[in-house]
Amino acid sequence: VGLDPETDLAVIKIELDKLPVIVLGQSELARVGDVVLAIGNPFGVGQTVTMGIISALGRNNLHINSFENFIQTDAAINFGNSGGALVDTRGNLIGINTAIYSQSGGSVGIGFAIPVSTAKTVMEAIIKDGHVVRGWIGVETQDITPELAQSFNLQRTSGAIIAGVVRNGPADKAGIVPGDILLTV
């Protein structure tokens, strides 16, 4: 049906009756320490299931995809597991296995999955439009803390400080620079 190179996800259409389906879980309810199962076909040996926990949520700056918000798990994800399911203990899909941190090609206990909420959004866009359309500003932000608000003499503790700007991106072209304070959009 279509693909999204930015998340390394695709939607395929299979015209068969009575295929089994998996229940989409709620990745936003996942917590560090939750037990998860990673399903895949590592090294082409056949279907496998490994067990671990969610090690971290919201992992980014890994330079795997342009839009990163990964679930990190220590469930063994090896070469060939990409596209496999990351499920909770009730069998609900909470992520799509996508990458590992490894210097050897094998699992060292640091694997990453795309949250099912992201996968669902991508899937729905591909089904509707054949591709995913995204807007972007081209900034990296840091939340305003009470300490930052005080140092910038701000009257409120909400908003974001611009920590970085993508060269030649929309924000750069508009004149936004690191250190600017974003109060509203």
Side-chain angles (χ1 to χ4, degrees), residues 23-69:
V23 175
L24 300 184
Q26 295 179 297
S27 52
E28 59 275 6
L29 298 179
R31 299 288 177 254
V32 172
D34 286 354
V35 174
V36 290
L37 306 171
I39 302 170
N41 182 10
F43 305 105
V45 299
Q47 183 174 322
T48 63
V49 178
T50 60
M51 182 177 79
I53 63 167
I54 293 176
S55 305
L57 297 165
R59 284 285 191 228
N60 57 20
N61 293 320
L62 302 172
H63 309 292
I64 297 170
N65 294 336
S66 297
F67 302 94
E68 296 183 338
N69 175 29

